[in-house]
Amino acid sequence: MDQETMKILADAIVVAGKAVGAGFCMGIGAIGPGIGEGNIGAHALDSIARQPELANVITTRMLIADAIAETTGIYSLLIAFLILFAL
Amino acid sequence: MAEKKRRRMSTKTKIQLTVFLIVYITVGIINVQYLPKSPSDVLGNVANRWIVGNGPWFLQINPMTIIMSLVVIAIIVLFARAVHKEYSLVPNRKQAFAESVMDFVYDIVQSSIPDERFAKSTFKIATTLFLYIAVANLLGGFVPGISVDVTKTIGANGEIIRNAKFMLFSDTWFAPTADLNTNLTYAIMVLVISHYFGIKAKGFKAWLKSFVEPLPFLLPLNIIGELAKPISHSMRLFGNITGGGVLVLALSYFVKYMFLPPLLWGYFGIFSGLIQAFVFSTLTIAYISAQVG
């Protein structure tokens, strides 16, 4: 193998690593927020079914809790972008 | 009477919708003509920022952040002047909107900080942050305008060369909250203010004692816990707005700015942006109340 081919191969390995890494980062990072937001939504619906007159308050709190549970997923999205575009 | 009013409203809405669609389709056709053809040309420069100035970090500035901050400030000041000019005991629509926003925040502040001395200052800080971040997110989320495309190359002597190119209607406005510097400034400001209020409320000795509160050997954990607050506080907003902006750019590019972007602007601008602004100000109130209470 001459020098030129080695260089092309090295570049190809770097691109493949970036793609695989970003995909794993986003895929694994989305599991936690998914479970968390599902729990939040389920319990909010439970409590609304129990006390329908509190629906407004519960919906507001549910959205805040959703935004906070989403944080780690957003972190992994950001890191996936960094891997793809800035590394 | 009521039917007539409703019909008049609907024609007004129809005209607005028609104008919006005409502008939108024109912009879409112009963009199809002038957009770069390969997606890596569009997405390759996503993480690059337009930075002016060489040297240490305090000599470098991000012009886009400053320009957009001034635009946001101008919008808020103009709205405030418009409310102030027609200020009356019976509120008109603008004044009712402003009053309901302030009432909404003040209820949250009063329920979590009972002390009247701190409640008023906290209310001012939280409302200011909420208004600024909400307007910035709305501007960055769903108004297409001027955006800056930066290519970063490394020169022969190892210095970084940045070429800025201005593009019209290819991306949404750059939100000042999509820059970590803005968010980190506000988060650190909130941290300092919360500790200042804590010293004022409890006294210096009691404030120092709160760091060794459950057991003395938990001191490092308490300090790390305090320092982690501004980081997660600012990163949450930064990640949401930046990620939303990049997703809007990528998906809008793939459909050539036809039919999908308004839905994305609606989600990332209005829904996600307002929720993040609300979360930021609610967490501000929560951090201050944790120190004061």
Side-chain angles (χ1 to χ4, degrees), chain B residues 175-231:
Chain B
T177 41
D179 186 353
L180 186 56
N181 296 309
T182 318
N183 305 335
L184 203 58
T185 310
Y186 296 148
I188 290 175
M189 187 185 86
V190 167
L191 181 79
V192 171
I193 288 172
S194 71
H195 281 275
Y196 175 69
F197 281 0
I199 293 172
K200 228 174 156 183
K202 292 183 284 193
F204 190 68
K205 265 187 183 165
W207 174 74
L208 271 185
K209 204 166 168 254
S210 73
F211 280 99
V212 287
E213 197 45 41
L215 287 168
F217 69 86
L218 289 176
L219 173 68
L221 271 185
N222 279 329
I223 291 174
I224 291 171
E226 283 302 313
L227 291 182
K229 272 181 189 174
I231 293 174

Side-chain angles (χ1 to χ4, degrees), chain A residues 60 63-64 67-68 70-71 74-75 77-78 81-82 85-86, chain B residues 43 47 232 235-236 238-240 243 246 271 275-276 278-279:
Chain A
T60 318
L63 287 177
I64 298 173
I68 291 171
E70 201 183 46
T71 309
I74 295 290
Y75 289 166
L77 174 71
L78 206 65
F81 279 134
L82 285 179
F85 299 126
Chain B
L43 298 177
S232 79
M235 284 292 225
R236 178 176 300 119
F238 169 68
N240 268 291
V246 173
F271 183 72
I275 286 201
Q276 288 307 316
F278 179 56
V279 165

Side-chain angles (χ1 to χ4, degrees), chain A residues 81, chain B residues 42-43 245-255:
Chain A
F81 279 134
Chain B
V42 175
L43 298 177
V246 173
L247 276 182
V248 168
L249 175 64
L251 292 177
S252 318
Y253 175 76
F254 290 140
V255 296

Side-chain angles (χ1 to χ4, degrees), chain A residues 4-48:
Chain A
E4 207 53 22
T5 321
M6 293 275 280
K7 215 170 177 188
I8 292 170
L9 259 181
D11 282 352
I13 289 172
V14 167
V15 171
K18 273 185 189 176
V20 171
F24 269 125
C25 176
M26 200 55 240
I28 298 173
I31 295 173
I35 294 172
E37 288 187 18
N39 268 333
I40 292 167
H43 288 291
L45 285 181
D46 273 357
S47 47
I48 288 176

